[in-house]
Amino acid sequence: MSRPPRFSRSQRMTIVNGILLFVVLIVILQLWLLTATMNAYLGGDTAILVPAALASLACLALNLGLLRYLVKLE
Amino acid sequence: MSRRDLVSARDLVRPAAPAATADGQTTPPDGRPPAEQPKWRRDFPIDWGQDEYVSRRDLVKFMVLTSGAFAVGQAYLVLRSARDRGAAAPPVVAIARVDDLAIGEARTFTYPEGSTPRLLVRTGDSSFVAYDQQCTHLLCPVVPAVAEGKLHCPCHNGWFDLATGRPLAGPPRRPLPRVLLEVRDGTVYATGVEERT
């Protein structure tokens, strides 16, 4: 017997819109980070590379967490 | 026109059946149950609410994929930097005789072998400057304007200072990479490349 959904469809729609907003904001942040890092790297400044990569990976982890929550909503 | 006729006309424009149930489920325009719908509608039922939900969810997945691509790009820069760090120091190479260039003249060369073109400019009796010839904006070749003490990128009208290689005007924001030079016994040697921000 399948369990009834935790949220109604309209509630899920609101949740997916909220998650989409967060994910898009994080992706824009990553884009900015990659642009700034590339500029520094091409200018010979390599000290920023590892912290920027860690920050980008943290953003990816956050996005994957949000996606996992979205999948669990089904 | 009687009052009764007016009422009938108002009935004609009464609101259509609700488009969705309380849970957002799309209902057919005539409001009848699905089993009573015409065959074409039963064959191609479109639930607009569900359609919108699925498309938003798919967009989230695509954006997460984009996020992964950015993270991979950052990791690639780290790997490439580690590889560059392990590379040997550039060699000292003779690139021109002092007498080969008159004051104000320029020539291109590669340093180290196989690099992008570099630009050597004689600015005085014994003074030379050398930079990467590619503009730091979109890699167009820069042209020396020695009389004005500048380097010009004609693609987007970018200008660099000839003495320092720093951007003066236009879209470029980073200075041109500088080739370190040494003049010994009438020969100009390249000894290294300095990347700058």
Side-chain angles (χ1 to χ4, degrees), chain B residues 9-56:
Chain B
R10 197 171 57 206
D11 283 348
L12 284 175
V13 292
R14 69 171 168 251
T21 64
D23 195 28
Q25 189 86 29
T26 306
T27 55
D30 57 9
R32 286 183 299 170
E36 293 176 25
Q37 294 299 319
K39 185 174 184 319
W40 66 267
R41 189 171 282 147
R42 275 184 279 124
D43 285 348
F44 301 102
I46 296 173
D47 186 348
W48 290 111
Q50 182 67 8
D51 183 75
E52 195 177 356
Y53 175 73
V54 169
S55 61
R56 295 286 165 90

Short mmCIF file of all heavy atoms in Angstrom, two decimals, chain B residues 9-56:
data_model
loop_
_atom_site.label_atom_id
_atom_site.label_comp_id
_atom_site.label_asym_id
_atom_site.label_seq_id
_atom_site.Cartn_x
_atom_site.Cartn_y
_atom_site.Cartn_z
N ALA B 9 -29.33 35.59 -21.22
CA ALA B 9 -28.06 36.04 -21.80
C ALA B 9 -26.95 35.97 -20.75
O ALA B 9 -25.83 35.59 -21.05
CB ALA B 9 -28.20 37.46 -22.33
N ARG B 10 -27.27 36.32 -19.50
CA ARG B 10 -26.26 36.28 -18.45
C ARG B 10 -25.82 34.83 -18.20
O ARG B 10 -24.66 34.55 -17.94
CB ARG B 10 -26.84 36.91 -17.18
CG ARG B 10 -25.76 37.28 -16.18
CD ARG B 10 -26.32 38.07 -15.05
NE ARG B 10 -27.39 37.35 -14.37
CZ ARG B 10 -28.36 37.94 -13.70
NH1 ARG B 10 -28.42 39.24 -13.65
NH2 ARG B 10 -29.29 37.24 -13.09
N ASP B 11 -26.79 33.94 -18.32
CA ASP B 11 -26.45 32.53 -18.11
C ASP B 11 -25.45 32.04 -19.15
O ASP B 11 -24.64 31.16 -18.88
CB ASP B 11 -27.71 31.67 -18.17
CG ASP B 11 -28.51 31.79 -16.88
OD1 ASP B 11 -27.94 32.35 -15.91
OD2 ASP B 11 -29.67 31.37 -16.84
N LEU B 12 -25.56 32.63 -20.37
CA LEU B 12 -24.68 32.18 -21.45
C LEU B 12 -23.21 32.46 -21.15
O LEU B 12 -22.32 31.76 -21.59
CB LEU B 12 -25.06 32.86 -22.77
CG LEU B 12 -26.31 32.32 -23.44
CD1 LEU B 12 -26.65 33.17 -24.66
CD2 LEU B 12 -26.14 30.87 -23.84
N VAL B 13 -22.93 33.56 -20.42
CA VAL B 13 -21.54 33.91 -20.13
C VAL B 13 -21.14 33.55 -18.70
O VAL B 13 -20.22 34.11 -18.15
CB VAL B 13 -21.28 35.42 -20.38
CG1 VAL B 13 -21.38 35.74 -21.84
CG2 VAL B 13 -22.23 36.27 -19.56
N ARG B 14 -21.83 32.61 -18.12
CA ARG B 14 -21.46 32.22 -16.75
C ARG B 14 -20.06 31.59 -16.78
O ARG B 14 -19.64 31.04 -17.81
CB ARG B 14 -22.50 31.28 -16.17
CG ARG B 14 -22.54 29.92 -16.81
CD ARG B 14 -23.45 28.97 -16.03
NE ARG B 14 -23.69 27.79 -16.83
CZ ARG B 14 -24.85 27.50 -17.40
NH1 ARG B 14 -25.88 28.29 -17.26
NH2 ARG B 14 -24.98 26.41 -18.11
N PRO B 15 -19.34 31.66 -15.68
CA PRO B 15 -17.96 31.17 -15.67
C PRO B 15 -17.89 29.69 -16.05
O PRO B 15 -18.80 28.93 -15.74
CB PRO B 15 -17.50 31.39 -14.23
CG PRO B 15 -18.61 31.99 -13.49
CD PRO B 15 -19.77 32.18 -14.39
N ALA B 16 -16.78 29.34 -16.70
CA ALA B 16 -16.58 27.95 -17.09
C ALA B 16 -16.33 27.09 -15.86
O ALA B 16 -16.13 27.61 -14.76
CB ALA B 16 -15.38 27.87 -18.03
N ALA B 17 -16.32 25.81 -16.06
CA ALA B 17 -16.04 24.88 -14.96
C ALA B 17 -14.65 25.16 -14.40
O ALA B 17 -13.77 25.61 -15.13
CB ALA B 17 -16.11 23.45 -15.49
N PRO B 18 -14.43 24.92 -13.11
CA PRO B 18 -13.11 25.20 -12.52
C PRO B 18 -12.01 24.42 -13.26
O PRO B 18 -12.21 23.28 -13.65
CB PRO B 18 -13.26 24.73 -11.08
CG PRO B 18 -14.49 23.91 -11.02
CD PRO B 18 -15.36 24.36 -12.13
N ALA B 19 -10.88 25.10 -13.42
CA ALA B 19 -9.79 24.49 -14.19
C ALA B 19 -9.01 23.48 -13.36
O ALA B 19 -8.26 22.70 -13.90
CB ALA B 19 -8.85 25.57 -14.69
N ALA B 20 -9.14 23.55 -12.04
CA ALA B 20 -8.34 22.65 -11.22
C ALA B 20 -9.09 22.31 -9.94
O ALA B 20 -9.92 23.08 -9.47
CB ALA B 20 -7.01 23.29 -10.89
N THR B 21 -8.79 21.15 -9.38
CA THR B 21 -9.38 20.77 -8.11
C THR B 21 -8.64 21.49 -6.99
O THR B 21 -7.70 22.25 -7.24
CB THR B 21 -9.24 19.26 -7.91
OG1 THR B 21 -7.84 18.97 -7.83
CG2 THR B 21 -9.86 18.49 -9.05
N ALA B 22 -9.08 21.22 -5.75
CA ALA B 22 -8.44 21.89 -4.62
C ALA B 22 -6.96 21.54 -4.54
O ALA B 22 -6.14 22.33 -4.06
CB ALA B 22 -9.13 21.47 -3.33
N ASP B 23 -6.58 20.37 -5.04
CA ASP B 23 -5.18 19.96 -4.98
C ASP B 23 -4.41 20.37 -6.23
O ASP B 23 -3.27 19.95 -6.44
CB ASP B 23 -5.11 18.44 -4.80
CG ASP B 23 -3.72 18.01 -4.38
OD1 ASP B 23 -3.02 18.83 -3.75
OD2 ASP B 23 -3.32 16.89 -4.72
N GLY B 24 -5.02 21.15 -7.08
CA GLY B 24 -4.31 21.61 -8.26
C GLY B 24 -4.44 20.68 -9.44
O GLY B 24 -3.83 20.91 -10.49
N GLN B 25 -5.21 19.61 -9.32
CA GLN B 25 -5.38 18.67 -10.43
C GLN B 25 -6.19 19.34 -11.52
O GLN B 25 -7.23 19.91 -11.26
CB GLN B 25 -6.12 17.44 -9.92
CG GLN B 25 -6.19 16.29 -10.90
CD GLN B 25 -4.95 15.41 -10.79
OE1 GLN B 25 -4.36 15.33 -9.73
NE2 GLN B 25 -4.56 14.81 -11.89
N THR B 26 -5.69 19.28 -12.78
CA THR B 26 -6.40 19.92 -13.88
C THR B 26 -7.69 19.14 -14.19
O THR B 26 -7.67 17.92 -14.27
CB THR B 26 -5.53 19.94 -15.14
OG1 THR B 26 -4.30 20.56 -14.81
CG2 THR B 26 -6.19 20.71 -16.25
N THR B 27 -8.77 19.87 -14.36
CA THR B 27 -10.03 19.21 -14.73
C THR B 27 -10.37 19.61 -16.17
O THR B 27 -10.01 20.69 -16.62
CB THR B 27 -11.19 19.64 -13.81
OG1 THR B 27 -11.25 21.06 -13.84
CG2 THR B 27 -10.97 19.16 -12.40
N PRO B 28 -11.05 18.73 -16.91
CA PRO B 28 -11.43 19.08 -18.28
C PRO B 28 -12.33 20.31 -18.28
O PRO B 28 -13.02 20.58 -17.29
CB PRO B 28 -12.16 17.84 -18.77
CG PRO B 28 -11.75 16.75 -17.86
CD PRO B 28 -11.47 17.38 -16.54
N PRO B 29 -12.37 21.06 -19.38
CA PRO B 29 -13.15 22.31 -19.42
C PRO B 29 -14.63 22.10 -19.17
O PRO B 29 -15.28 22.97 -18.59
CB PRO B 29 -12.92 22.82 -20.85
CG PRO B 29 -11.68 22.15 -21.30
CD PRO B 29 -11.58 20.85 -20.60
N ASP B 30 -15.17 20.93 -19.56
CA ASP B 30 -16.60 20.74 -19.34
C ASP B 30 -16.91 20.22 -17.94
O ASP B 30 -18.07 20.09 -17.56
CB ASP B 30 -17.18 19.78 -20.41
CG ASP B 30 -16.46 18.44 -20.41
OD1 ASP B 30 -15.65 18.19 -19.48
OD2 ASP B 30 -16.69 17.64 -21.33
N GLY B 31 -15.88 19.91 -17.15
CA GLY B 31 -16.09 19.51 -15.77
C GLY B 31 -16.57 18.08 -15.59
O GLY B 31 -16.75 17.64 -14.45
N ARG B 32 -16.76 17.34 -16.68
CA ARG B 32 -17.24 15.95 -16.54
C ARG B 32 -16.09 15.04 -16.13
O ARG B 32 -14.93 15.36 -16.36
CB ARG B 32 -17.85 15.49 -17.86
CG ARG B 32 -19.20 16.12 -18.13
CD ARG B 32 -19.81 15.58 -19.39
NE ARG B 32 -18.96 15.88 -20.55
CZ ARG B 32 -19.14 15.36 -21.74
NH1 ARG B 32 -20.10 14.48 -21.96
NH2 ARG B 32 -18.35 15.69 -22.75
N PRO B 33 -16.38 13.89 -15.54
CA PRO B 33 -15.30 12.98 -15.13
C PRO B 33 -14.51 12.47 -16.33
O PRO B 33 -15.03 12.46 -17.46
CB PRO B 33 -16.04 11.85 -14.42
CG PRO B 33 -17.46 11.97 -14.82
CD PRO B 33 -17.70 13.39 -15.18
N PRO B 34 -13.29 12.02 -16.10
CA PRO B 34 -12.42 11.58 -17.21
C PRO B 34 -13.07 10.51 -18.09
O PRO B 34 -12.88 10.51 -19.31
CB PRO B 34 -11.19 11.05 -16.49
CG PRO B 34 -11.17 11.74 -15.19
CD PRO B 34 -12.59 11.99 -14.82
N ALA B 35 -13.83 9.59 -17.48
CA ALA B 35 -14.40 8.48 -18.27
C ALA B 35 -15.41 8.99 -19.31
O ALA B 35 -15.65 8.32 -20.31
CB ALA B 35 -15.06 7.48 -17.34
N GLU B 36 -15.98 10.16 -19.06
CA GLU B 36 -16.99 10.68 -19.98
C GLU B 36 -16.40 11.64 -21.02
O GLU B 36 -17.14 12.25 -21.80
CB GLU B 36 -18.07 11.43 -19.18
CG GLU B 36 -18.89 10.51 -18.30
CD GLU B 36 -19.90 11.28 -17.46
OE1 GLU B 36 -20.28 12.40 -17.88
OE2 GLU B 36 -20.27 10.79 -16.39
N GLN B 37 -15.11 11.79 -21.02
CA GLN B 37 -14.47 12.72 -21.96
C GLN B 37 -14.36 12.09 -23.34
O GLN B 37 -14.35 10.86 -23.47
CB GLN B 37 -13.07 13.08 -21.45
CG GLN B 37 -13.07 13.88 -20.16
CD GLN B 37 -13.80 15.21 -20.32
OE1 GLN B 37 -13.66 15.89 -21.34
NE2 GLN B 37 -14.61 15.55 -19.34
N PRO B 38 -14.26 12.92 -24.40
CA PRO B 38 -14.07 12.35 -25.74
C PRO B 38 -12.74 11.59 -25.84
O PRO B 38 -11.83 11.82 -25.04
CB PRO B 38 -14.07 13.59 -26.65
CG PRO B 38 -13.85 14.75 -25.77
CD PRO B 38 -14.36 14.37 -24.41
N LYS B 39 -12.68 10.73 -26.84
CA LYS B 39 -11.52 9.83 -26.94
C LYS B 39 -10.19 10.59 -27.08
O LYS B 39 -9.19 10.24 -26.47
CB LYS B 39 -11.71 8.89 -28.14
CG LYS B 39 -10.59 7.84 -28.23
CD LYS B 39 -10.88 6.86 -29.32
CE LYS B 39 -9.85 5.73 -29.38
NZ LYS B 39 -8.50 6.11 -29.21
N TRP B 40 -10.23 11.68 -27.90
CA TRP B 40 -8.97 12.42 -28.10
C TRP B 40 -8.43 12.97 -26.79
O TRP B 40 -7.22 13.02 -26.56
CB TRP B 40 -9.14 13.53 -29.14
CG TRP B 40 -10.07 14.65 -28.72
CD1 TRP B 40 -11.39 14.75 -28.98
CD2 TRP B 40 -9.73 15.81 -27.96
NE1 TRP B 40 -11.92 15.89 -28.44
CE2 TRP B 40 -10.91 16.56 -27.81
CE3 TRP B 40 -8.55 16.28 -27.40
CZ2 TRP B 40 -10.94 17.75 -27.11
CZ3 TRP B 40 -8.59 17.48 -26.71
CH2 TRP B 40 -9.78 18.21 -26.57
N ARG B 41 -9.32 13.36 -25.88
CA ARG B 41 -8.84 13.93 -24.63
C ARG B 41 -8.37 12.82 -23.68
O ARG B 41 -7.45 13.02 -22.88
CB ARG B 41 -9.95 14.75 -23.98
CG ARG B 41 -9.44 15.54 -22.77
CD ARG B 41 -10.45 16.52 -22.25
NE ARG B 41 -10.51 17.73 -23.05
CZ ARG B 41 -11.62 18.44 -23.25
NH1 ARG B 41 -12.77 18.03 -22.72
NH2 ARG B 41 -11.60 19.52 -23.97
N ARG B 42 -9.03 11.65 -23.80
CA ARG B 42 -8.58 10.53 -22.97
C ARG B 42 -7.21 10.02 -23.47
O ARG B 42 -6.39 9.58 -22.69
CB ARG B 42 -9.62 9.38 -23.01
CG ARG B 42 -10.72 9.59 -21.98
CD ARG B 42 -11.69 8.43 -21.95
NE ARG B 42 -12.69 8.54 -23.02
CZ ARG B 42 -12.93 7.61 -23.94
NH1 ARG B 42 -12.25 6.49 -23.94
NH2 ARG B 42 -13.84 7.79 -24.87
N ASP B 43 -6.98 10.11 -24.78
CA ASP B 43 -5.71 9.64 -25.33
C ASP B 43 -4.56 10.60 -25.00
O ASP B 43 -3.43 10.19 -24.81
CB ASP B 43 -5.80 9.52 -26.86
CG ASP B 43 -6.59 8.30 -27.26
OD1 ASP B 43 -6.84 7.46 -26.36
OD2 ASP B 43 -6.98 8.18 -28.45
N PHE B 44 -4.86 11.88 -24.98
CA PHE B 44 -3.81 12.87 -24.71
C PHE B 44 -4.19 13.77 -23.55
O PHE B 44 -4.41 14.97 -23.71
CB PHE B 44 -3.55 13.73 -25.96
CG PHE B 44 -3.14 12.93 -27.15
CD1 PHE B 44 -4.05 12.64 -28.16
CD2 PHE B 44 -1.85 12.45 -27.26
CE1 PHE B 44 -3.67 11.90 -29.25
CE2 PHE B 44 -1.47 11.70 -28.35
CZ PHE B 44 -2.37 11.42 -29.36
N PRO B 45 -4.32 13.19 -22.37
CA PRO B 45 -4.71 14.03 -21.22
C PRO B 45 -3.51 14.89 -20.79
O PRO B 45 -2.40 14.39 -20.63
CB PRO B 45 -5.05 13.00 -20.14
CG PRO B 45 -4.25 11.80 -20.50
CD PRO B 45 -4.03 11.81 -21.98
N ILE B 46 -3.74 16.16 -20.68
CA ILE B 46 -2.65 17.05 -20.23
C ILE B 46 -3.02 17.59 -18.86
O ILE B 46 -4.04 18.26 -18.71
CB ILE B 46 -2.44 18.21 -21.22
CG1 ILE B 46 -1.97 17.66 -22.55
CG2 ILE B 46 -1.40 19.18 -20.67
CD1 ILE B 46 -1.88 18.69 -23.64
N ASP B 47 -2.16 17.28 -17.91
CA ASP B 47 -2.36 17.79 -16.56
C ASP B 47 -1.37 18.94 -16.39
O ASP B 47 -0.19 18.73 -16.13
CB ASP B 47 -2.07 16.65 -15.57
CG ASP B 47 -2.38 17.05 -14.15
OD1 ASP B 47 -2.59 18.26 -13.92
OD2 ASP B 47 -2.43 16.18 -13.28
N TRP B 48 -1.85 20.16 -16.58
CA TRP B 48 -0.93 21.30 -16.64
C TRP B 48 -0.18 21.52 -15.34
O TRP B 48 1.00 21.89 -15.34
CB TRP B 48 -1.68 22.57 -17.03
CG TRP B 48 -2.13 22.52 -18.45
CD1 TRP B 48 -3.40 22.42 -18.90
CD2 TRP B 48 -1.29 22.53 -19.61
NE1 TRP B 48 -3.42 22.36 -20.28
CE2 TRP B 48 -2.15 22.43 -20.74
CE3 TRP B 48 0.07 22.59 -19.81
CZ2 TRP B 48 -1.67 22.40 -22.04
CZ3 TRP B 48 0.56 22.55 -21.10
CH2 TRP B 48 -0.31 22.47 -22.20
N GLY B 49 -0.85 21.28 -14.23
CA GLY B 49 -0.17 21.44 -12.94
C GLY B 49 1.01 20.50 -12.83
O GLY B 49 2.11 20.89 -12.45
N GLN B 50 0.77 19.23 -13.19
CA GLN B 50 1.84 18.23 -13.12
C GLN B 50 2.95 18.57 -14.11
O GLN B 50 4.13 18.43 -13.80
CB GLN B 50 1.25 16.84 -13.43
CG GLN B 50 2.25 15.70 -13.33
CD GLN B 50 2.73 15.46 -11.91
OE1 GLN B 50 2.21 16.06 -10.96
NE2 GLN B 50 3.75 14.64 -11.76
N ASP B 51 2.53 19.04 -15.29
CA ASP B 51 3.51 19.40 -16.31
C ASP B 51 4.45 20.50 -15.80
O ASP B 51 5.66 20.43 -15.97
CB ASP B 51 2.75 19.89 -17.56
CG ASP B 51 3.68 20.23 -18.69
OD1 ASP B 51 4.20 19.30 -19.31
OD2 ASP B 51 3.89 21.43 -18.93
N GLU B 52 3.86 21.50 -15.15
CA GLU B 52 4.67 22.60 -14.63
C GLU B 52 5.60 22.12 -13.52
O GLU B 52 6.77 22.47 -13.47
CB GLU B 52 3.73 23.69 -14.09
CG GLU B 52 4.43 25.01 -13.87
CD GLU B 52 3.46 26.09 -13.41
OE1 GLU B 52 2.24 25.82 -13.34
OE2 GLU B 52 3.93 27.18 -13.11
N TYR B 53 5.08 21.24 -12.66
CA TYR B 53 5.89 20.73 -11.56
C TYR B 53 7.09 19.96 -12.10
O TYR B 53 8.23 20.16 -11.67
CB TYR B 53 5.04 19.83 -10.66
CG TYR B 53 5.83 19.17 -9.56
CD1 TYR B 53 6.28 19.90 -8.47
CD2 TYR B 53 6.15 17.82 -9.63
CE1 TYR B 53 7.03 19.30 -7.48
CE2 TYR B 53 6.89 17.21 -8.64
CZ TYR B 53 7.32 17.96 -7.56
OH TYR B 53 8.08 17.37 -6.58
N VAL B 54 6.84 19.09 -13.09
CA VAL B 54 7.91 18.27 -13.65
C VAL B 54 8.96 19.14 -14.35
O VAL B 54 10.16 18.93 -14.20
CB VAL B 54 7.33 17.22 -14.63
CG1 VAL B 54 8.44 16.54 -15.42
CG2 VAL B 54 6.53 16.18 -13.86
N SER B 55 8.51 20.17 -15.07
CA SER B 55 9.48 21.01 -15.78
C SER B 55 10.34 21.80 -14.80
O SER B 55 11.54 21.95 -15.01
CB SER B 55 8.77 21.94 -16.77
OG SER B 55 7.90 22.77 -16.09
N ARG B 56 9.76 22.28 -13.70
CA ARG B 56 10.57 22.99 -12.70
C ARG B 56 11.57 22.05 -12.05
O ARG B 56 12.73 22.39 -11.82
CB ARG B 56 9.68 23.58 -11.59
CG ARG B 56 8.74 24.65 -12.04
CD ARG B 56 9.48 25.96 -12.31
NE ARG B 56 8.62 26.84 -13.07
CZ ARG B 56 7.78 27.72 -12.55
NH1 ARG B 56 7.70 27.84 -11.25
NH2 ARG B 56 7.03 28.47 -13.30
#
